[in-house]
Each structure stands twice: as structure tokens, then as C-alpha cells.
Amino acid sequence: MTALVGCIGGGQLGRMLALAGAPLGVRLRFLDPAADACAGEVGELVVGAYDDPACLGRLADGADAVTYEFENVPVSAARAVGAVPDSRALELGQDRLAEKDLFRRLDIATAPYGSLDETGVPALVKSRRLGYDGKGQRVVETFEPLGEGELAEGIVSFDRELSILAVRGPTGETAFYPVTENEHRGGILAVSRAPAPAVPQGEAERIALRLLDELGYVGVLAVELFEVEGRLLANELAPRVHNSGHWTIDGAHASQFENHLRAILGLPLGVTAARGPSVMVNLVGGSPPLERLLAIPGAHVHLYGKEARPGRKLGHVTLVDADDDAVAEVVELSRAAWTV
């Protein structure tokens, strides 16, 4: 089989899609405004604005499918090339209020949201659009008018932050990865562990399935969750492959990236079961010396080919079925190099 997939965005998620596609005979072509976009090292790169009609035409020319690697893609651009997942999911991923309203309509529990009168204080005030990795949000301690395009959310005293990745094919075939436990540092994902111990996997799958079916979704969908006294609250969804699923490259039988490509191309889905307990550690802002990482038994190093700068995700390290000392060493090396 040979196939061509166009991808709006040429960052690390696109890069990993291309690496997953190569063994299947699937080539990737990317559209990105940056001439040095890191996915350009592993696939064809069209340099231009995401909504440039001529560039979109070049991206889609001869492609068997078109997708996107981040949720702030212009909806009009995704519609113009018939991108998968469908643009409705993309619109929801861009608007926190529409997202929360969907959760409520599907009887999926969330933190209180709306105005400060509805949430009480203290509360987390978020921009409805363009917030990620802790950006576009602030804590308020007293009642104050919300700015235009802002949404208040009740602060949740959660026990754990979790996520579930699901994948659905065009005929409705569905599969779920084990729930992942996530630790954040300054709003940025630092460490993921999967399968998360003692989690309500069935409840997480039911939440994801309601969203998949409601949206007629095709591809990988991530749902971020809070665990509160054994209950799950939905925080947000991401209509794309997701950082908390990077462990699947080394730790699952078929990675999230491979299964996203399988789904959008109408191919049978791969097995989502874990090969063993996995820990994924992000490298942010700075990266430890490669030789130090490679000397750690069982460490799988993934560097994205990006220039270092504070707050930028430069790579990740995954350990599968590794001992506690190896995991602790990778976490400590990452923390020492971390800059935001």
C-alpha cells in the first residue's frame, strides 16, 4: 500500500505521524508557515499560511486524506480540504464554552462553569479560545467582571489528572487506550504514566464513546479528566493525537499516531493494549545531554529537531517496564533542564 496524507501543521505531532506512517507506506505532506517546521525533516513541507487557498490546494493535491495536528487550525481551512476529524470537532476544541455545553448535554460531569456567580470564588478564569499548556487562564479570588471571551470554571480539588485516548474508524470501529495519569509543571505536561493504577477505565471509555458517537468522529480523540473521590469529571477534549499519548509509541502495540492514520484512511485499527507499564517524560525548554539519557537502561529517546527556547517541547523519553531508579533518573534530568 502507498498513500499520501496531508496535515495542517508541521510540528512534533505531525512529525510523529510521519514516522508512524513510513512503515505502512504512508507519506505525509505538511502545511506550516514556518520554513523550519520540524515535520519538514520527515515529510514534504508546503510553507504558507494555514488559510492560504493556494497552499491548501497544494496540501490536498493527490492526498488520500487530510488531517491536522493542533486544534487552533482555522476551521475554514479544515473545511476547505475536507479534513478529518470533521470540522465540528475542531470548532468544539477551539471554544471552551461550546465544549462544556456539549459535555453537559451528553450528561458528562464537569466542574461548574459559566459566570462567577455560577462558579463562586476562588475560580479559574479562562479565555474561551486559544488557551493551551496553562496559557490564557488566571485564578480570581474575588468577584469581578469577566472580560469579553472569558469563561469561569470552578476550581476542582482533584485527586489525579487523567486522560483517555480513543480512536474511531469511519465505519464506527472503536478502540481505547489504557487511561493515563498525568503530572503537570506550570501548566505543561511533565510526566505521564500508563496504564494508570486503580482507575475506572470503563467510566472513562463511556465518556469518550459518547463524544465519539455524538460527533461521528474519525481519528484519535483525547479527553482530559479529573478524578475526584473515584468519580471522573471531564476537563477538555482535544480532537487530535495528544501529548499524553506519546507513551504509546514504545509502550502500546499500535501507537496513537499509527491508529490515527489507520482510522482516517479507513484501515483496520491496531491493538491499543499496553506492552507493559510505561512512563513518558517531556523535555521542555532544555534537553539533558543525549549520552546521559541513552545510558539509562530502557530509555527510548525521541527528539523533535527543534531549537531550544523556554517553554518549548523539545522531545520526550519513554520507559517501558523499567525499574524505579531508571524512571527517577530520567525525571530528575528532565527537571534540571526544564525552562519556561
Side-chain angles (χ1 to χ4, degrees):
M1 170 189 172
T2 57
L4 173 64
V5 171
C7 182
I8 305 175
Q12 66 265 19
L13 300 179
R15 179 187 180 98
M16 287 181 271
L17 282 170
L19 294 172
L24 305 179
V26 177
R27 295 183 297 113
L28 271 288
R29 177 190 293 150
F30 302 97
L31 170 60
D32 199 283
D36 62 349
C38 67
E41 294 184 350
V42 294
E44 181 185 350
L45 179 63
V46 177
V47 179
Y50 296 127
D51 56 357
D52 183 293
C55 292
L56 288 167
R58 289 172 58 196
L59 177 72
D61 184 31
D64 297 280
V66 177
T67 190
Y68 46 87
E69 60 131 26
F70 69 109
E71 61 262 51
N72 290 327
V73 168
V75 172
S76 60
R79 281 204 190 106
V81 292
V84 185
D86 181 82
S87 60
R88 183 182 172 207
L90 185 61
E91 287 181 293
L92 288 165
Q94 292 180 358
D95 186 335
R96 286 193 170 101
L97 178 58
E99 178 183 72
K100 300 290 187 187
D101 285 345
L102 175 65
F103 291 152
R104 178 177 287 174
R105 185 160 57 80
L106 296 179
D107 198 26
I108 296 171
T110 70
Y113 69 94
S115 67
L116 289 174
D117 288 334
E118 292 171 293
T119 64
V121 292
L124 197 61
V125 173
K126 299 181 177 181
S127 60
R128 282 180 58 177
R129 297 181 176 275
L130 300 179
Y132 64 96
D133 284 347
K135 300 179 178 69
Q137 55 186 263
R138 69 184 194 279
V139 175
V140 296
E141 303 284 349
T142 59
F143 288 94
E144 63 181 60
L146 295 183
E148 185 177 355
E150 288 189 326
L151 172 72
E153 293 183 9
I155 293 177
V156 176
S157 298
F158 56 81
D159 300 313
R160 290 188 290 181
E161 292 182 272
L162 305 170
S163 59
I164 185 165
L165 274 71
V167 59
R168 186 177 187 270
T171 62
E173 179 188 5
T174 304
F176 303 93
Y177 286 94
V179 170
T180 301
E181 181 175 343
N182 302 306
E183 299 173 17
H184 292 78
R185 189 177 304 143
I188 300 174
L189 181 63
V191 181
S192 292
R193 292 178 170 85
V199 297
Q201 177 77 28
E203 183 182 352
E205 290 184 9
R206 285 189 290 274
I207 289 170
L209 184 60
R210 287 179 206 169
L211 293 165
L212 293 172
D213 288 346
E214 170 68 19
L215 297 171
Y217 196 89
V218 175
V220 166
L221 174 74
V223 186
E224 298 179 18
L225 305 160
F226 296 126
E227 184 182 30
V228 182
E229 296 180 348
R231 294 178 59 242
L232 297 183
L233 303 181
N235 181 30
E236 57 187 51
L237 61 82
R240 54 171 173 82
V241 288
H242 194 259
N243 194 173
S244 70
H246 289 0
W247 67 269
T248 64
I249 298 173
D250 304 295
H253 289 272
S255 76
Q256 63 164 340
F257 301 99
E258 179 180 337
N259 260 332
H260 186 72
L261 293 173
R262 287 182 182 226
I264 67 174
L265 291 169
L267 299 171
L269 301 182
V271 175
T272 53
R275 296 180 182 275
S278 298
V279 180
M280 188 283 304
V281 181
N282 266 340
L283 307 177
V284 176
S287 183
L290 180 61
E291 59 272 18
R292 290 284 306 277
L293 293 173
L294 294 178
I296 298 171
H300 300 272
V301 181
H302 301 262
L303 301 178
Y304 305 151
K306 297 163 70 174
E307 184 178 345
R309 68 170 182 242
R312 195 178 207 189
K313 293 175 181 175
L314 303 178
H316 70 270
V317 182
T318 302
L319 301 102
V320 182
D321 231 353
D323 63 48
D324 292 344
D325 289 342
V327 171
E329 186 174 359
V330 173
V331 170
E332 182 52 40
L333 286 171
S334 167
R335 183 181 288 112
W338 186 288
T339 59
V340 294

